[in-house]
Amino acid sequence: MSSNRSRALACLPFFFAVLGVSAGQQPLLYEPPASEWHALKKAVNGRLFEGVPFAHPCFAKGFNSTECVAIRSSYLDEVSRANAPAAYIQTQWETCQTTDDGCLLSYTNPQDESPTLPPNQCQLGSIPRHFIDVRNAEDVAAAFRFSRRTGMPLVIKNTGHDYKGRSSAPHSLALWTHNLKDISFDPAFVAEGCSKASPGVTVGAGVQWGEAYAFAEANNITLVGGSDRSVGVAGGWLQGGGHGALSNTMGLGVDRVLQYKVVTPDGVYRTANECQNQDLFFGLRGGGGGTFGVVLESTILASPQVTLQAVIVTFSANTTRTKELWTILADNGLKWADEGWGGFSMAGILILINPGSSKEETAKSMAPLIAYGKRLQSEGVQGASTIVTEFPSWGAFFNAFTKDHVAVVGSSLALASRLISKDNLKTPARRSTFVSALLAADAATPGLIVLITAPSSFPSKGQTSVTDAWRSSLYHVTVVSPWEWNATVAEKKAHYSSVSASIDHLRKITPDAAYLNEADVYEPNHEVAFWGSHHTKLLKIKRKYDPDRLLDCWQCVGWDPKSPRFSCYL
C-alpha cells in the first residue's frame, strides 16, 4: 500500500448526503478529502459533478412536481436515460442489489406513486458518487492520477446500456464520455503509421448508433452496427465484439474497426491499430470495455450503401406455430447463412434481411418461409402478416424496424445468452434438438430472441480477441427475466437463477461460448465462454497496460472478484 493511500485511509472522513440523496446501507468506504476533489475539479475545468439518481425529483420535489412529471414521462425512454449521467437502461445497476438501496419508479407503471411514498427513500445504490464530463484525454489522465493517489474506484459510462453493470459501482468516480460527439467521414482514411487507405468513419466515444446511422445515410455509406439507436458506437459494444443484422456478410464490429484512440491507465493517450500498439489493438478488439483503457475515439470501416431484401413474417404466437417457424429457420439456417441472410426472431416473428440478394433470388430462397406466412394468413390466424420488400439502405430498414422493436428499457433485468454452432443444425436430429431447446427456454423465460447476427459468411483475419466460436456460429440467443422496483433480494436471485436455468437448455447442446456484452451476469467458466483460447494473451495485455488494476469490472479480463466495487452484486 502506498504512503499516499495509507494517509488517506487514516485521515479521510466519510460523508454521504448528496443533494438530499442518502447513501443508505452501502458498505462504508473512505472518501477522499475535499482538497483532492477540489484539485480534480480544477484539473477537469470544473466538469466534475455529483451523482443524482434519475428518479430523484419524484422523491425530493413531489410526485406531481413539474420535474417528476418529466421523469415519469421519460422513465421508459432509452434516449432520455442515455442522456442522463446517472440513469441506466436496466435499473438494477442504479441500485445496491444486496441491500435494496435505490431510487426507482415502477417500470410497469411509472405513474404509480407508491415507490416514492414513505418509508421508501431515494438512495444512491450503485450509482457513482461523482462524474467527470469527459471532453479530452487530459480529463481521463487526471482521473487516473486521482484514482492512483486516493484509491477511488473508476468506472466508464456512456449510455448505461451495459447488461452486466460494468458502468456503475458504489462509491466510485465515473468517466462520463457521452458528450464526445464528433463524427467525420474520410473516404481514404489511413491509420496512423500505416499506408493502406480505407473508407472510415471516426466517432467520438459518445456517438450513438442512431446518430451514426443518420450520418451514414447523409453520406451514402453503410456502417455495421447494433439494432438499438441509443447504444454507443465506440464503447462496450465495439470493444466487446459488436454484432448486428449485417454481421453475417459484413463482419462483427471488431472486424471493422480500423483504429482506436485510447488513454491507458498510465495517463498516456495512445493510438492503437494494425501498425502500432498492436497488442493493445488486439485487446480492444473483443477483450471488453472498461479493461485496457478509456477509448475516446474509434475509426470504423465504411462500406458502400447497400440495398436490402427483406422478408418479415409475423403472427399471434402459440407453441405450435412458433415451433413450425423455428423449424423452418433451423432447416434452412445453414443455407440461408451462406446466402447472406441475417436478422432476428422471437415467438411469433421472423425478420430476415440480405444486402446481396436480388428480388428473384429472395423469392426462391425464402419460399418455405413465405409459404408459411401466407398459409397462416389464409387460415385467418390473428396478426398473421407476410411482407416481402426492399429497402434502399440499412438506415431505411433500421428506421422502420426500430419503431416497433425496442429493447426493454427502465426495468431491472436478468439476461443470459448462448452462441449456437453451425454443428447444431447439420442433421435433422440436431435441428430437432435445437428447436426443442429454444421452445423450452422460451417457455421458462418468455422473451427469447434468436439473433441471426454471427459472422457466418464473413472471412476472418484472426486478428480479434472475441472467442473464435463466433466464427463457427450461426446464432446468438438471449433470454431475459425482469423484476419490479420492490423485488426482494431473494426474488432478484431467483430471476438470475431462472435465466441461467433457461439458457441451460442451450448450454448443454452447444460449445462453451457466449457473447460477453449480453451474457449471464454469473456466467460459469466465463473466461472460456467469452474469449476461448485468447484469454491468456488478453491477461498479459491487461497486466502490461494496467498493472495496478486501476480499471476493473465484473467478469472482465484480470478482474478482482473480491473488490469492494462489486459489493452490490448478489
Side-chain angles (χ1 to χ4, degrees):
M1 182 179 291
S2 70
S3 59
N4 283 342
R5 180 170 175 138
S6 298
R7 286 194 296 270
L9 285 168
C11 67
L12 301 183
F14 297 101
F15 43 116
F16 293 101
V18 180
L19 296 178
V21 182
S22 169
Q25 299 298 313
Q26 293 183 8
L28 299 180
L29 302 180
Y30 69 91
E31 176 89 3
S35 59
E36 286 281 6
W37 288 115
H38 291 324
L40 178 62
K41 188 169 186 177
K42 182 178 180 181
V44 299
N45 293 312
R47 285 176 276 99
L48 175 71
F49 56 94
E50 295 169 323
V52 179
F54 188 55
H56 178 253
C58 296
F59 291 78
K61 301 283 188 178
F63 197 73
N64 293 313
S65 65
T66 301
E67 295 87 345
C68 181
V69 169
I71 294 297
R72 286 154 52 191
S73 66
S74 60
Y75 197 74
L76 305 180
D77 178 63
E78 58 179 331
V79 174
S80 296
R81 284 190 165 271
N83 289 337
Y88 292 78
I89 301 300
Q90 262 51 72
T91 54
Q92 76 260 43
W93 308 120
E94 299 177 23
T95 74
C96 192
Q97 298 176 90
T98 56
T99 63
D100 284 331
D101 293 340
C103 188
L104 305 180
L105 302 182
S106 167
Y107 87 93
T108 56
N109 179 19
Q111 309 310 317
D112 178 8
E113 186 178 7
S114 58
T116 67
L117 298 177
N120 300 321
Q121 299 179 44
C122 183
Q123 299 170 324
L124 270 178
S126 62
I127 293 171
R129 289 197 165 282
H130 298 84
F131 289 76
I132 296 174
D133 179 5
V134 173
R135 300 302 178 102
N136 53 57
E138 178 51 36
D139 290 344
V140 179
F144 278 130
R145 292 193 297 269
F146 178 85
S147 178
R148 195 179 300 278
R149 286 196 310 271
T150 66
M152 191 75 175
L154 297 176
V155 296
I156 307 166
K157 181 181 186 290
N158 175 16
T159 66
H161 263 276
D162 196 298
Y163 284 109
K164 300 189 74 171
R166 295 170 295 186
S167 56
S168 71
H171 301 280
S172 65
L173 170 64
L175 297 169
W176 190 45
T177 62
H178 192 61
N179 288 318
L180 296 172
K181 293 289 190 180
D182 288 347
I183 184 168
S184 61
F185 171 51
D186 184 347
F189 174 81
V190 178
E192 294 179 20
C194 300
S195 57
K196 180 183 176 181
S198 304
V201 170
T202 299
V203 296
V207 173
Q208 297 161 270
W209 277 118
E211 298 162 336
Y213 292 149
F215 180 85
E217 288 291 293
N219 286 274
N220 298 313
I221 56 177
T222 300
L223 297 176
V224 176
S227 58
D228 197 308
R229 61 178 176 158
S230 64
V231 169
V233 175
W237 184 92
L238 184 58
Q239 295 167 55
H243 66 92
L246 293 176
S247 290
N248 179 4
T249 55
M250 301 177 75
L252 296 172
V254 289
D255 293 320
R256 299 173 62 85
V257 63
L258 302 174
Q259 181 169 279
Y260 290 104
K261 294 290 187 73
V262 54
V263 183
T264 46
D266 57 4
V268 177
Y269 192 33
R270 301 178 189 272
T271 297
N273 55 43
E274 290 184 350
C275 305
Q276 59 180 307
N277 295 311
Q278 293 95 331
D279 56 349
L280 183 57
F281 190 47
F282 175 83
L284 292 170
R285 295 178 76 185
T291 301
F292 307 101
V294 180
V295 170
L296 299 186
E297 176 187 292
S298 299
T299 302
I300 55 178
L301 181 66
S303 295
Q305 197 166 75
V306 294
T307 299
L308 297 175
Q309 302 302 320
V311 179
I312 304 170
V313 171
T314 62
F315 53 87
S316 178
N318 64 23
T319 301
T320 300
R321 287 192 285 267
T322 298
K323 180 179 181 179
E324 191 167 359
L325 176 73
W326 284 345
T327 298
I328 292 171
L329 176 63
D331 287 345
N332 293 276
L334 293 169
K335 173 178 176 288
W336 286 348
D338 288 342
E339 293 172 348
W341 293 93
F344 315 91
S345 183
M346 297 180 68
I349 185 169
L350 176 56
I351 301 171
L352 290 171
I353 62 170
N354 194 321
S357 182
S358 67
K359 292 180 179 179
E360 294 74 22
E361 290 168 335
T362 294
K364 181 179 179 181
S365 176
M366 292 285 112
L369 178 60
I370 295 170
Y372 177 62
K374 290 187 177 298
R375 193 192 87 206
L376 295 182
Q377 289 178 266
S378 68
E379 293 173 354
V381 171
Q382 183 179 2
S385 170
T386 305
I387 300 172
V388 182
T389 190
E390 180 179 276
F391 290 93
S393 66
W394 164 260
F397 166 78
F398 178 82
N399 290 335
F401 169 78
T402 55
K403 289 180 181 178
D404 300 315
H405 301 89
V406 178
V408 176
V409 175
S411 75
S412 296
L413 183 75
L415 182 147
S417 73
R418 207 68 180 162
L419 295 180
I420 308 302
S421 171
K422 293 178 182 179
D423 287 342
N424 288 106
L425 275 69
K426 284 187 174 178
T427 68
R430 290 180 183 179
R431 292 194 291 269
S432 177
T433 298
F434 168 61
V435 171
S436 295
L438 286 180
L439 292 168
D442 191 48
T445 51
L448 177 146
I449 306 176
V450 181
L451 297 111
I452 309 163
T453 55
S456 304
S457 56
F458 181 83
S460 170
K461 296 180 180 179
Q463 297 174 339
T464 65
S465 49
V466 293
T467 173
D468 290 332
W470 267 112
R471 312 300 173 182
S472 56
S473 294
L474 283 178
Y475 310 135
H476 158 55
V477 175
T478 64
V479 295
V480 297
S481 184
W483 63 86
E484 262 285 18
W485 65 277
N486 55 352
T488 65
V489 171
E491 288 169 341
K492 296 169 194 173
K493 289 181 178 179
H495 284 284
Y496 285 114
S497 297
S498 293
V499 294
S500 190
S502 177
I503 209 68
D504 275 344
H505 292 287
L506 293 162
R507 277 194 184 117
K508 66 184 180 182
I509 64 170
T510 57
D512 195 354
Y515 177 42
L516 70 92
N517 282 338
E518 296 173 310
D520 189 338
V521 171
Y522 305 99
E523 181 68 34
N525 199 26
H526 73 278
E527 294 169 354
V528 171
F530 299 161
W531 300 292
S533 62
H534 300 309
H535 181 261
T536 300
K537 182 176 180 180
L538 288 169
L539 192 57
K540 290 180 180 178
I541 297 168
K542 170 67 172 178
R543 289 170 177 164
K544 174 182 175 180
Y545 288 98
D546 188 16
D548 298 324
R549 203 151 47 189
L550 293 186
L551 293 175
D552 199 3
C553 49
W554 185 264
Q555 287 194 344
C556 293
V557 173
W559 75 313
D560 174 13
K562 296 180 180 179
S563 170
R565 71 165 63 219
F566 305 128
S567 60
C568 286
Y569 283 81
L570 294 171

